[in-house]
Amino acid sequence: MLRVLCLALCSLLTSTRADPGALLRLGMDIMNREVQSAMEESHILEKMAAEAGKKQPGMKPIKGITNLKVKDVLQPVITLNFVPEVGIFQCVSTGMTITGKSFMGGNMEIIVVLNITATNRLLQDEETSLPMFKSEGCEVTLVSVKTNLPSNMLPKVVNKFLDSTLNKVLPGLMCPAIDAVLVYVNRKWANLNDAMPVGQLGTVKYVLSSTPATTASYIQVDFSPVVEDPNGQAIELAGNGEALDFPKDYVEGSSQLLLSSTLLSAELTLLQKSLSVDVQDIKIGKLSPQTTKTLARFFRKVAKAYPKPKPLMTQIRINKPPKVTMETDKSLLHLHGTLEMFAVRKRGKAPVSLFLLDVHFNLKILYSVHENRLQMATSLDRLLSLSRESSSIGDFNEKKLTDFITDYLQEAYVPTVNDVLQVGLPLPDFLAMNYNLAELDIIENALVLNLRLD
Ligand SMILES: *[C@@H]1O[C@H](CO)[C@@H](O)[C@H](O)[C@H]1NC(C)=O
């Protein structure tokens, strides 16, 4: 019985602990900027001033003071703090000037400085499954009150005014401002779930794997990305259970995006077909002219069969999904496939296959970000294996071809791979993030984008 229970529980545990394909850490730097810009975009200050200027229900007239108006609202200072397991504590320090005419005919001015505080709980919207902040427990605290009223009217009138009016009216006036700002912040997650194109060859969707978690110094968002081909067929993120985690040495308060090698492999699998190409140029890079004469160096039979040199044609077929691996400071793209060389004959005659090799080789990947897409440029790292599958020119020791094939791949094939890779891989679209300034680090099994604000 116990064992059955454990089996059920353990499988539950392992299935919910599937490694996410991408992780995002949002530090205070980004959250501060977001709330600040939401504050500006929402024009909440102007709205607050306009609202405050209106006659408020519950705002009793002050005895002896007429023509009461809110003149201006002070530029707010926003302070945010992470609340572990909850979200963000937000304090908006602002103020306003209330004017009126006193019964003695003089102009009255009351300058009120106040703090609006609320806890913005971080949730996952049930409908859209997007991250969402929801404010709770909004309170308004008066920090200071200054007036130009004659001192004999103080503190009676002002205190009464504050007690009966401001304390009742301000929360209703100010707390919607917090909500309004959050509407703007929440809106900036809206595109996160969208399928983003990887060229014409498929899409990737950054789907949340769970409710984002808040710690004392960051918010962590775990993604289970969905990679699909144009027919809507999902490409499995075939990780081997490697642990994904952020290195410990990032500056407190900074933000990072971590993309697993598993995710990148799945996205490159969309490109697999485009990586199979035919090369038929006589002049390629710094290689000597590619004709049967080139091969005659290795195969005397070729020289005999083609006394007049014929152009070569090479078919490279990638027959396994491309695989990206990463270790500290180094990332490789593994390609498995076949390389078949043909002698091209006169028009109308089919090319003659000379030999077909099984090849496995590595390309070194250099990463960069351009126009908010992850870009990769490769160069040949190593030809790992070469084995002969068929030959029309007799037996030969394929190891003799190692240098020739290595140079060939670098000059004739790598440029094609780099062309294909130019589509770039989409990055999660949230909070209007600009990834172009990100600094990249390659760590064990993942690429880290150190996010920088503009
Ligand atoms: C108002 O907010 C500021 C900034 O967060 C803080 O320093 C101050 O102590 C607060 N004052 C009161 C009375 O809550």
Side-chain angles (χ1 to χ4, degrees):
M1 178 63 199
L2 262 178
R3 192 187 276 184
V4 173
L5 196 67
C6 172
L7 275 178
L9 268 177
C10 298
S11 69
L12 200 68
L13 279 177
T14 47
S15 68
T16 53
R17 289 215 11 226
D19 284 315
L23 303 174
L24 175 67
R25 262 188 197 176
L26 294 172
M28 209 28 108
D29 53 353
I30 287 186
M31 293 325 299
N32 267 329
R33 185 197 61 174
E34 277 329 302
V35 172
Q36 203 73 49
S37 76
M39 200 95 191
E40 283 156 23
E41 278 173 45
S42 62
H43 298 287
I44 199 62
L45 270 187
E46 289 93 322
K47 285 181 196 158
M48 266 162 66
E51 200 57 32
K54 284 185 197 157
K55 224 176 155 50
Q56 300 298 322
M59 188 135 164
K60 289 195 193 120
I62 311 178
K63 227 180 184 172
I65 295 177
T66 55
N67 212 7
L68 213 59
K69 276 200 187 105
V70 174
K71 215 171 66 180
D72 42 26
V73 177
L74 290 179
Q75 182 69 33
V77 176
I78 304 170
T79 321
L80 304 177
N81 283 298
F82 286 120
V83 185
E85 284 161 46
V86 177
I88 294 179
F89 181 78
Q90 182 180 8
C91 174
V92 180
S93 302
T94 182
M96 57 181 69
T97 308
I98 300 164
T99 61
K101 283 221 184 301
S102 81
F103 62 93
M104 295 191 292
N107 285 330
M108 176 214 70
E109 235 179 44
I110 306 174
I111 299 167
V112 191
V113 176
L114 48 90
N115 283 352
I116 316 163
T117 55
T119 301
N120 302 328
R121 188 175 282 277
L122 183 55
L123 304 166
Q124 189 177 4
D125 188 325
E126 275 176 21
E127 245 171 72
T128 62
S129 58
L130 294 170
M132 177 182 76
F133 285 106
K134 194 168 181 292
S135 80
E136 290 177 354
C138 177
E139 277 177 25
V140 176
T141 318
L142 287 169
V143 177
S144 72
V145 180
K146 288 190 191 127
T147 120
N148 68 342
L149 288 178
S151 56
N152 63 0
M153 285 186 72
L154 280 172
K156 241 174 67 193
V157 172
V158 172
N159 275 347
K160 211 169 158 208
F161 172 65
L162 293 178
D163 281 350
S164 67
T165 319
L166 283 185
N167 272 334
K168 258 188 237 154
V169 172
L170 284 177
L173 200 61
M174 297 294 167
C175 290
I178 296 255
D179 293 334
V181 168
L182 289 187
V183 166
Y184 276 78
V185 175
N186 287 336
R187 222 177 262 172
K188 293 190 183 178
W189 297 101
N191 298 331
L192 188 60
N193 270 347
D194 294 356
M196 291 182 284
V198 180
Q200 309 278 316
L201 299 164
T203 58
V204 58
K205 249 189 281 192
Y206 287 92
V207 177
L208 258 64
S209 19
S210 53
T211 305
T214 312
T215 72
S217 46
Y218 54 83
I219 289 173
Q220 181 157 324
V221 186
D222 293 5
F223 295 105
S224 300
V226 177
V227 178
E228 282 182 355
D229 72 12
N231 302 321
Q233 201 75 36
I235 309 243
E236 201 190 336
L237 266 66
N240 29 17
E242 58 267 7
L244 264 192
D245 204 2
F246 290 91
K248 304 273 178 278
D249 51 0
Y250 288 115
V251 181
E252 176 111 358
S254 64
S255 305
Q256 291 89 30
L257 172 68
L258 186 147
L259 303 173
S260 68
S261 50
T262 312
L263 169 63
L264 300 186
S265 296
E267 291 181 271
L268 293 188
T269 298
L270 296 173
L271 309 179
Q272 184 182 340
K273 275 205 192 104
S274 320
L275 293 173
S276 290
V277 290
D278 294 353
V279 184
Q280 189 182 341
D281 291 317
I282 294 186
K283 196 71 203 105
I284 300 170
K286 45 182 198 205
L287 298 177
S288 53
Q290 296 294 296
T291 67
T292 46
K293 205 176 152 199
T294 322
L295 292 179
R297 279 198 284 145
F298 307 102
F299 311 105
R300 243 187 290 145
K301 255 189 155 172
V302 173
K304 265 195 209 143
Y306 302 97
K308 273 175 73 183
K310 302 273 180 223
L312 291 177
M313 192 264 281
T314 309
Q315 288 188 341
I316 296 173
R317 298 290 175 263
I318 299 304
N319 53 23
K320 277 193 193 170
K323 190 168 159 52
V324 175
T325 58
M326 300 197 202
E327 51 189 80
T328 310
D329 294 333
K330 186 169 188 187
S331 178
L332 297 172
L333 173 60
H334 292 253
L335 295 175
H336 289 259
T338 56
L339 184 151
E340 185 169 19
M341 278 202 171
F342 296 84
V344 178
R345 295 186 297 168
K346 286 226 175 64
R347 208 184 275 249
K349 287 188 174 175
V352 179
S353 170
L354 300 171
F355 54 81
L356 173 71
L357 303 172
D358 253 336
V359 287
H360 172 200
F361 54 101
N362 275 342
L363 307 182
K364 190 164 184 269
I365 312 177
L366 278 182
Y367 296 92
S368 61
V369 177
H370 184 63
E371 290 177 349
N372 270 350
R373 293 173 88 81
L374 182 66
Q375 298 290 339
M376 304 178 184
T378 64
S379 57
L380 192 75
D381 182 64
R382 218 146 62 87
L383 177 61
L384 294 164
S385 76
L386 195 64
S387 63
R388 176 162 45 90
E389 283 295 302
S390 70
S391 160
S392 68
I393 47 177
D395 283 354
F396 61 87
N397 179 0
E398 56 269 30
K399 298 288 172 290
K400 281 202 316 198
L401 291 180
T402 302
D403 289 346
F404 170 67
I405 298 294
T406 303
D407 291 346
Y408 189 85
L409 288 173
Q410 173 61 43
E411 295 292 322
Y413 185 58
V414 167
T416 307
V417 175
N418 287 337
D419 272 355
V420 171
L421 291 177
Q422 270 191 3
V423 289
L425 303 179
L427 297 167
D429 183 0
F430 71 95
L431 305 179
M433 192 62 221
N434 175 2
Y435 290 99
N436 294 342
L437 303 170
E439 281 169 25
L440 310 186
D441 279 336
I442 301 171
I443 60 165
E444 210 64 30
N445 303 322
L447 178 71
V448 181
L449 285 80
N450 232 322
L451 307 179
R452 296 262 180 272
L453 301 180
D454 6 355

